[in-house]
Amino acid sequence: MIVWTDFHRTLSEYADGFASLAAAYDGTAGSSAELEAVIDRYSSLILEPRNTLMWEELIRREPEETERLAYRLRERSALCVALMEKYRALKLLEGAENDSGYFRNIEACIEEEFGSFTVTPESRVLMVGSGSFPMTPLLIARRTGAQVVGIDIDPEAVELGRKVVSRLGPELPIRLEASSVEQLDGLSTVTHIIFSSTVPVKYELLERLHPLTGEQTVVAMRYGGGLKSLFNYPIRQAADSRWRLAESLLKPGRIFDIALYRKAAVSHQLDGGAQ
């Protein structure tokens, strides 16, 4: 039977492995198979219900060391996910698409992103942290016809993302920009905003977005709690009290959960009664 010390050792090995895999990136897809295999195993570990007890035991016995380990895992796995998206984009552009369990899980999450706040063809969606393989913009634009803008601070990711969109959906209303949120034009017309779970400053950005967005804007904040926090930046109380939590979408078996925010000034009637 696995004990908490073994679980701690396993997690530490993942943290070291992620650092090595990130250092191996050379702008080609040469190391993609190894990284994809590690990410898939790590996803399975995070989603295994029995491991929740081991994680809780680690927190009880070594709270400070466990928090430091969680920080390392979150930071390094986020970097590796960004690299895996680059690998996926490079392989697609070379004519060899891959089929990762991690990507399948993410795509299933996207289907349920906004809960009762429906995206329609008239919606305008902003994706913060769109990455090199913009699955979310592609799926939303294709399924709903909504205009989607994706931003990322990594110019290489944006360039790869544009090539992926040109390959998979050149007719779709998608625009990708290497931009900060403040630099983006048309924020007042955005109806839905999605924050990637691997954006570490998402709550700081949420605060800065309040005066720039319309009163009806809905925000989907991807996050992870408990074991999922080893793969996603966790939920926090919004520092800007003008945002309120409208709905929580907890997704057992999915790699992240979703918190939906609306502006506090908006009437409860507009929220469809969500609490």
Side-chain angles (χ1 to χ4, degrees):
M1 182 179 70
I2 187 171
V3 297
W4 68 273
T5 51
D6 296 328
F7 193 59
H8 184 281
R9 186 179 305 109
T10 296
L11 293 177
S12 297
E13 289 171 354
Y14 270 111
D16 293 340
F18 286 139
S20 297
L21 288 165
Y25 178 67
D26 61 0
T28 73
S31 300
S32 63
E34 182 180 5
L35 179 57
E36 288 162 12
V38 171
I39 290 288
D40 282 350
R41 290 197 300 272
Y42 189 61
S43 300
S44 296
L45 179 146
I46 296 299
L47 294 174
E48 172 51 60
R50 291 174 296 181
N51 289 335
T52 299
L53 296 176
M54 290 292 99
W55 178 243
E56 292 172 351
E57 184 71 4
L58 278 179
I59 294 173
R60 187 180 72 82
R61 290 179 178 269
E62 296 183 336
E64 293 183 2
E65 167 57 26
T66 301
E67 180 55 34
R68 288 192 291 269
L69 176 59
Y71 179 85
R72 291 198 304 276
L73 282 164
R74 194 179 302 132
E75 186 176 50
R76 295 175 184 181
S77 64
L79 175 57
C80 284
V81 165
L83 293 177
M84 192 164 75
E85 287 195 10
K86 290 184 178 182
Y87 288 142
R88 188 184 192 190
L90 289 167
K91 290 168 71 174
L92 173 73
L93 298 173
E94 294 168 359
E97 170 68 306
N98 64 324
D99 184 30
S100 164
Y102 169 79
F103 286 128
R104 290 195 300 274
N105 193 290
I106 293 292
E107 286 159 0
C109 293
I110 295 169
E111 297 280 359
E112 306 149 337
E113 189 87 52
F114 280 104
S116 61
F117 301 107
T118 307
V119 177
T120 70
E122 290 71 40
S123 299
R124 183 177 172 85
V125 182
L126 169 63
M127 175 78 201
V128 180
S130 51
S132 303
F133 202 103
M135 293 180 288
T136 299
L138 283 163
L139 185 108
I140 289 176
R142 190 174 299 283
R143 295 286 178 85
T144 70
Q147 294 184 52
V148 186
V149 178
I151 61 173
D152 203 291
I153 59 172
D154 181 352
E156 182 186 15
V158 171
E159 183 61 29
L160 283 170
R162 288 171 176 167
K163 292 178 180 177
V164 169
V165 170
S166 293
R167 178 70 63 89
L168 297 181
E171 77 289 356
L172 298 175
I174 298 172
R175 189 174 93 247
L176 303 179
E177 301 288 344
S179 171
S180 67
V181 291
E182 293 92 345
Q183 295 172 326
L184 195 65
D185 294 331
L187 280 172
S188 62
T189 66
V190 168
T191 59
H192 298 73
I193 301 174
I194 304 170
F195 281 92
S196 168
S197 67
T198 56
V199 174
V201 295
K202 54 193 175 186
Y203 279 93
E204 289 82 351
L205 295 176
L206 179 66
E207 184 174 358
R208 283 148 54 185
L209 277 166
H210 191 281
L212 304 175
T213 50
E215 289 302 314
Q216 304 302 316
T217 303
V218 181
V219 175
M221 186 76 74
R222 297 174 177 176
Y223 74 95
L227 263 181
K228 291 183 183 181
S229 72
L230 304 186
F231 213 0
N232 310 276
Y233 285 88
I235 194 171
R236 286 172 22 197
Q237 183 172 350
D240 190 332
S241 61
R242 294 173 296 176
W243 289 105
R244 71 177 183 87
L245 182 64
E247 192 173 336
S248 295
L249 305 176
L250 300 179
K251 302 294 182 182
R254 303 301 186 207
I255 205 62
F256 57 73
D257 299 315
I258 301 163
L260 296 176
Y261 293 90
R262 296 209 69 169
K263 292 191 174 180
V266 176
S267 165
H268 282 241
Q269 291 181 342
L270 294 176
D271 295 339
Q275 300 297 318

